[in-house]
Amino acid sequence: MSDSEADEELLSLLRQSLGINGNQNSREADTKVLKDAEYVYDNSIDVALDTHGTKAAAATIWTLMQEKQYSFKTWSEHTLHPKEKDEKTVNFIFFMDLLNFCFWSENPDPAQCFSVEYHGQIFTGYWSLVAAIHRALEESIPITTPSFWIDETACTNDLLDHVFRSATSGPIPLLEQRVHCIREAGRILDTDFSGSVIALVHEANHSAASLVNLLTTHFPCFNDTARFDSKSIRFQKRAQILVADLWACFEGQSFGCFHDIDIITMFADYRVPQMLHSLGCLRYSPPLENQIRSLREIRSGSSWEVQLRGCSIWCVELIRRHIKRQHPKAEVDAILIDFFLYDTMKQRMDEGVETIPHHRTRSIWY
């Protein structure tokens, strides 16, 4: 065998370890995100977990979830989330989570923040993206169709600029990076999955871990990792949330049927850590807290940022364990806790109730 030829046996072992080989038992697949988060927590010096605060938060979260009858069905109750259970919705969710990152604006003035007007309403943050997708589809722009993304005569940069136009003078952050993600994903789907998101989902064989690993192995823009203490740390926020959105949208059936959905962790972003701190679960070192409260940016991949993300994942896992310990029959996982915390934090933000700002990191990962 020449140096340039692939060693099929080694490739097979690699694919098996990642859970992306259709012939192996996909139950063995693992994303390793939770293990890496625990490592970050064990070695963190600027972010700490408050044991009493975490237990109290678990009790509060469970009580509120019961009062609100919060479940994965809540996902579809959001006005902008797609309601149909078909292949077009799978494409919608893929495109949505392909670009589900970095919506905060430098200027806190609402007149300067990126927002989208849709059906007479103004949407900000994540919802601005979802509104922009609906708006484009209603304008007969096939923005969720993978073959369209690589047709640069039809899907021009000017057209994409139009799709993501803002209702204010503040443009969508990282537009150039978003366009790159769209083009790259279109090419990879075309080359590796016959241009089909459905083919990608089918290859995972109903395994959440396998689908996460497929996304992070094939698509560089989904491979959300960082270095910490010379160790590679996996977060895989957007890959995991894509799986979670499919599961919630299809209510665990059809394209959302995953036998190992409980392997998905909290999605390490900038909103949920903010909520965990407000609940008394997370504590920051004085330099880090000063950086956050001063609205100064924290570099993507820095030790501070990795600690914020890793400790948040582990914190939500401990909250989940506390709930299960107190309520053994509770159907609760990290996905539902994350969704609940995000929705609650967004509501508090809209009401002007924030005890600490979110940390500021410019990144395509979240």
Side-chain angles (χ1 to χ4, degrees), residues 50 96 98 105 226 229 314-315:
D50 185 300
M96 179 178 77
L98 178 66
S105 300
D229 287 350
W314 190 245
C315 182

Side-chain angles (χ1 to χ4, degrees), residues 89-291:
T89 293
V90 176
N91 284 347
F92 187 107
I93 290 173
F94 182 92
F95 186 77
M96 179 178 77
D97 287 325
L98 178 66
L99 304 181
N100 185 359
F101 57 83
C102 201
F103 301 105
W104 59 271
S105 300
E106 296 284 353
N107 193 327
D109 181 357
Q112 302 296 321
C113 294
F114 172 70
S115 61
V116 168
E117 184 176 358
Y118 176 67
H119 288 187
Q121 286 186 262
I122 297 294
F123 295 93
T124 60
Y126 160 75
W127 295 113
S128 64
L129 169 66
V130 188
I133 298 172
H134 281 295
R135 182 177 64 183
L137 292 172
E138 290 183 9
E139 293 173 348
S140 299
I141 300 172
I143 197 62
T144 59
T145 303
S147 59
F148 179 67
W149 308 339
I150 54 177
D151 182 359
E152 296 192 38
T153 58
C155 183
T156 64
N157 287 356
D158 285 344
L159 180 65
L160 291 173
D161 189 53
H162 170 77
V163 167
F164 299 113
R165 66 192 182 275
S166 178
T168 70
S169 59
I172 187 170
L174 304 182
L175 177 60
E176 182 179 345
Q177 288 86 339
R178 293 177 199 277
V179 172
H180 176 79
C181 289
I182 293 168
R183 305 288 191 209
E184 178 185 79
R187 288 192 296 268
I188 293 168
L189 283 170
D190 183 58
T191 329
D192 297 355
F193 300 98
S194 304
S196 169
V197 178
I198 299 299
L200 166 66
V201 174
H202 280 161
E203 187 162 333
N205 195 26
H206 298 293
S207 166
S210 293
L211 184 50
V212 168
N213 291 335
L214 277 166
L215 287 162
T216 58
T217 302
H218 286 266
F219 300 83
C221 67
F222 274 108
N223 191 23
D224 175 11
T225 63
R227 303 293 298 181
F228 183 70
D229 287 350
S230 301
K231 175 180 171 62
S232 180
I233 302 297
R234 285 156 285 209
F235 293 116
Q236 318 301 25
K237 183 261 183 180
R238 289 190 295 107
Q240 288 204 101
I241 204 168
L242 194 158
V243 173
D245 284 343
L246 287 172
W247 171 74
C249 176
F250 290 90
E251 300 183 359
Q253 303 298 314
S254 180
F255 299 114
C257 175
F258 300 104
H259 62 73
D260 55 350
I261 192 63
D262 57 349
I263 204 169
I264 300 299
T265 70
M266 163 266 186
F267 317 116
D269 63 358
Y270 49 86
R271 283 296 178 197
V272 176
Q274 179 188 23
M275 188 65 189
L276 292 173
H277 185 279
S278 299
L279 285 169
C281 302
L282 296 184
R283 293 285 180 262
Y284 303 151
S285 68
L288 174 56
E289 182 156 347
N290 182 59
Q291 185 84 359

